[in-house]
Amino acid sequence: MFSEHSKEFLQKDRPMVSITRNVPLDVVDSLKRIASITEFPEYQELIKSYINEGLHRDKYRYSGISIARFIEALKQNGVSAIVIQQATQDLIES
């Protein structure tokens, strides 16, 4: 159900900090039900996984903005579209 990246994120030997948030009771109940039918022994681990999945997704989503700006800067500085396309393809394939 969850990616290998999420499982690595949940390793216990990473430095941690406690945070406190109020969450509606029905949300906690749902988390507990989902945790009971997944590989997560506790709903808190499921919450960590959800946070990690969203963070991982957004890191890629928002890093794309800077990549697009970088590509535009390359074009404005005379780098051909063919060279940019080949470099992009090489990056994707690696």
Side-chain angles (χ1 to χ4, degrees):
M1 178 174 175
F2 294 94
S3 70
E4 287 302 314
H5 185 267
S6 281
K7 292 175 184 173
E8 291 173 12
F9 179 80
L10 296 171
Q11 291 176 349
K12 301 279 187 211
D13 60 343
R14 297 177 68 206
M16 299 282 181
V17 61
S18 289
I19 60 170
T20 302
R21 295 295 317 158
N22 291 326
V23 179
L25 184 57
D26 62 304
V27 172
V28 174
D29 290 340
S30 294
L31 287 163
K32 287 178 180 179
R33 279 193 304 277
I34 293 169
S36 72
I37 59 175
T38 64
E39 70 244 37
F40 296 98
E42 300 288 335
Y43 75 96
Q44 294 93 336
E45 298 299 315
L46 181 61
I47 292 170
K48 289 180 197 177
S49 178
Y50 284 145
I51 291 170
N52 177 58
E53 289 295 319
L55 180 60
H56 189 66
R57 180 196 64 234
D58 287 350
K59 279 177 20 182
Y60 285 109
R61 177 185 297 163
Y62 296 118
S63 68
I65 293 170
S66 54
I67 291 170
R69 288 181 183 157
F70 180 67
I71 289 172
E72 188 57 37
L74 290 173
K75 289 178 183 176
Q76 290 175 358
N77 284 284
V79 177
S80 74
I82 293 171
V83 170
I84 293 170
Q85 182 179 10
Q86 183 59 52
T88 304
Q89 187 65 36
D90 291 347
L91 183 62
I92 291 169
E93 292 174 356
S94 66

